[in-house]
Amino acid sequence: MTFDVRLPIGLLFLVMGLLVAGAGLTGGPAVDRGGLNIDLIWGAGMAVFGAAMLLLAVVSR
Amino acid sequence: MKLGGVDWGVLGLYLVFVLGIGIVASRRAKSGSDFFLAGRSIPAWVAGLAFISANLGAQEVIGMGASGAKYGISTAHFYWIGAIPAMVFIGVFMMPFYYGSKVRSVPEYLRRRFDEKTRALNAVAFAIMTILSSGVSMYALAKLIQTLHVLDIPFERLGLPQAWIFHTAIGVSAVVVLVYIYLGGLRGAIYNEVLQFFLIVAGFAPLVWLGLKQVGGWPGLETTLGPSYTQAWHGMAHAATNRLGVDWFGLSMGLGFVLSFGYWCTDFLVVQRALAADSMTAARRTPLIAAGVKMFIPFIVILPGLIAIALTAAPDKAGATAHPTAAAGHVQQHDPGVIPIKIDAATGKPMLDAKGNPQLDYDLATPNLLLRYFPTGMLGVGLTALLASFMSGMAGNVTAFNTVFTYDIYQAYIRKDADDAHYLHVGRLATAFGIAASIAAAYVVGQFNNIQDFLQLTMAFVNAPVFATFLLGMFWKRTTGHGAFTGLAVGILTAAVHHGLTLPLDNIPGLKGGWITVVHTYPSEMAQNFWTAIWAWSACFVVTVAVSLVTKPSPEAQLAGLTYSLSPKISEAHGPWYGRPAVLGVVILAAVVVLNIIFR
């Protein structure tokens, strides 16, 4: 079975995104940038991207 | 800088995954072909992203941000008339020869097309350049970690001297890159380069988003900075009326043709990624996929520089100024902004330009923007993106070095007839040697503050004429080995002589040129570089043709698959018409024309 590089990329982005989004949820005003909770928004985006990569890898396998 | 627990977690997670990929890839690095060319089994999209990522090192991420702050959106010429056309050319026209001839390296192509001496000249020059480049990446990473005070607090808590931070940064980056290449070979490097590409985008895209939000979007940048910063072709009719100090002909020929084609079409660092593709079709699509993505890279590496200069000063509301550094420097005295004044490490005083104005430290444009916008959490992602870019640059150089050293130096001149397992072992030792030599180079770079200029200069001398050699070799079967070698040598010599006879404005004779005597002054260093390349390429082309006409060509039977007229034409009848390399190439070039029109 060949190694699918989407697996580690998906897993890394999922875990990293959740970590960053978690910091956004608990960070309070310190993570606010111009009215945006950048940690929460970008962290969630990274986690969704990671989940999509994982799903793609599993489906194509 | 104070990193939170989440930041350290993100950085640690990245290092664990990078090493894990190296370990997984090691299970398939059982032969020379596996280790040096990933068993020619990499899908096109993976090879394409690795093709970009191997080039997204320190010079690109930090250097392009700095150039964006200094020259504005004109910096995108390095992509839109430089890299992209060259990547389309190699994908459509040159990959059939590289991949079809089954060569293991670019110098090996030169041996089969020409002769041993041409291969030796290219292989030795390339091996030295890759080690120096890798050392520069390593030095830049350690210097940045020191400058941003990333490790100050942990070192303080552990009671370690701050002076060790530089050595620790070099040691850790070297060990991580060594482990994943030593174990996984090119496959480990390519998989990690794809991961690093996504991390670089994830780390820099939000920086641009937040920055543009603060400055009022692109219209806000246009209002703050004026046309010379925000119009790529502004004042290009004459060198004196634009920030680059280059006229349109010097830019199009020197950068767009000679230097870009010389790098993207012949540099083994990037060509190696395409050679690892799993089929001829995938190999041809590799640079095309890379080009399709790379045309948008300016938006994440150059825009941070424009945003940083907009937040530092408003130096150009009135239009173009001949000396952007000085102009920005004047304003800098009143507004510290994002980009600090460059400080002389020896005296601790601000560094001044030729007119006595303080210089800005443009290299800190992107890192300082990152510190300004990212809270804990995103700061870890941003720093990981920086780390990923430096590591991909280092790894790209080391994998290219170990292949060229093993096949083009060791097998060619030291031990010709050993078995495959022996060369695999030598490849791993060459990896360790390459990393050790890179560390030594990093410390040499730190000792001599001009060595980076020297490296750039030498690369320009060597890279400029080489595309003429390949162009003639692939498309004119009459080109001979004697012609190629003589042309290359004369091209390099011409570059050196041209540099020795010319000088950029406001410079003193020495490393910047004029070391023979000054017969011509260029309006900028960039103009001098581009014209040096034009002269070197032209000399190489003319001499190669002249010498080839009076020397005996190789028998045609030896050139099958190596030159255009003696190679079987590739049938593109199978597969959809829109997937053909020529069609993809036209679409990519059309998209680049559109980008040039939008940002004209």
Side-chain angles (χ1 to χ4, degrees), chain B residues 192-243:
Chain B
N192 270 318
E193 282 159 3
V194 176
L195 176 75
Q196 286 154 345
F197 169 79
F198 284 112
L199 281 170
I200 290 165
V201 174
F204 290 112
L207 193 64
V208 174
W209 178 32
L210 292 172
L212 283 177
K213 193 169 176 290
Q214 181 172 357
V215 299
W218 183 255
L221 276 180
E222 287 180 310
T223 306
T224 307
L225 297 174
S228 77
Y229 263 104
T230 56
Q231 293 177 6
W233 289 93
H234 179 85
M236 277 293 171
H238 302 287
T241 55
N242 64 76
R243 292 193 165 274

Side-chain angles (χ1 to χ4, degrees), chain B residues 239-550:
Chain B
T241 55
N242 64 76
R243 292 193 165 274
L244 297 175
V246 183
D247 63 280
W248 68 271
F249 182 81
L251 182 82
S252 305
M253 285 302 292
L255 171 67
F257 182 63
V258 178
L259 287 173
S260 294
F261 279 69
Y263 177 77
W264 289 100
C265 298
T266 72
D267 196 297
F268 184 53
L269 167 70
V270 287
V271 174
Q272 188 177 26
R273 272 75 198 148
L275 289 182
D278 59 11
S279 67
M280 171 66 88
T281 304
R284 297 182 75 190
R285 283 182 185 160
T286 292
L288 295 170
I289 290 168
V293 176
K294 195 174 176 71
M295 73 173 82
F296 301 106
I297 294 288
F299 298 119
I300 61 166
V301 298
I302 295 175
L303 272 187
L306 271 95
I307 293 163
I309 196 72
L311 293 169
T312 298
D316 186 37
K317 279 187 175 172
T321 50
H323 302 285
T325 306
H330 276 308
V331 182
Q332 173 70 21
Q333 292 167 332
H334 308 291
D335 175 9
V338 174
I339 307 174
I341 289 175
K342 196 181 265 188
I343 301 295
D344 188 326
T347 63
K349 291 181 177 173
M351 291 176 74
L352 306 176
D353 65 12
K355 297 200 181 310
N357 298 309
Q359 294 182 34
L360 296 182
D361 195 346
Y362 291 108
D363 283 346
L364 289 176
T366 300
N368 274 357
L369 209 61
L370 198 136
L371 296 183
R372 181 187 183 105
Y373 285 126
F374 284 175
T376 188
M378 277 309 294
L379 191 57
V381 176
L383 284 175
T384 300
L386 275 177
L387 194 62
S389 80
F390 284 78
M391 281 190 177
S392 66
M394 254 186 273
N397 279 300
V398 172
T399 50
F401 169 81
N402 68 25
T403 306
V404 166
F405 177 83
T406 303
Y407 287 142
D408 296 300
I409 295 173
Y410 183 82
Q411 187 178 24
Y413 303 107
I414 298 171
R415 194 167 166 189
K416 286 181 191 297
D417 302 315
D419 60 13
D420 186 64
H422 178 76
Y423 293 123
L424 174 61
H425 181 61
V426 169
R428 289 206 156 106
L429 290 179
T431 302
F433 172 77
I435 292 284
S438 300
I439 293 172
Y443 281 99
V444 170
V445 170
Q447 292 301 310
F448 302 96
N449 59 3
N450 280 336
I451 201 155
Q452 290 192 56
D453 290 339
F454 180 72
L455 173 65
Q456 293 293 335
L457 195 63
T458 315
M459 284 177 87
F461 286 5
V462 174
N463 266 348
V466 79
F467 182 62
T469 307
F470 277 84
L471 198 64
L472 287 167
M474 286 183 173
F475 297 99
W476 189 42
K477 65 181 180 184
R478 185 70 184 74
T479 316
T480 67
H482 293 312
F485 181 80
T486 313
L488 263 180
V490 169
I492 293 169
L493 189 66
T494 301
V497 169
H498 178 269
H499 185 260
L501 294 174
T502 61
L503 192 66
L505 202 65
D506 294 336
N507 279 278
I508 54 168
L511 198 57
K512 299 291 184 188
W515 41 271
I516 299 172
T517 183
V518 181
V519 298
H520 181 72
T521 301
Y522 283 105
S524 70
E525 199 174 329
M526 207 177 282
Q528 183 199 35
N529 286 343
F530 293 169
W531 279 98
T532 296
I534 291 169
W535 278 96
W537 188 91
S538 305
C540 179
F541 189 92
V542 170
V543 169
T544 302
V545 170
V547 175
S548 291
L549 288 173
V550 296

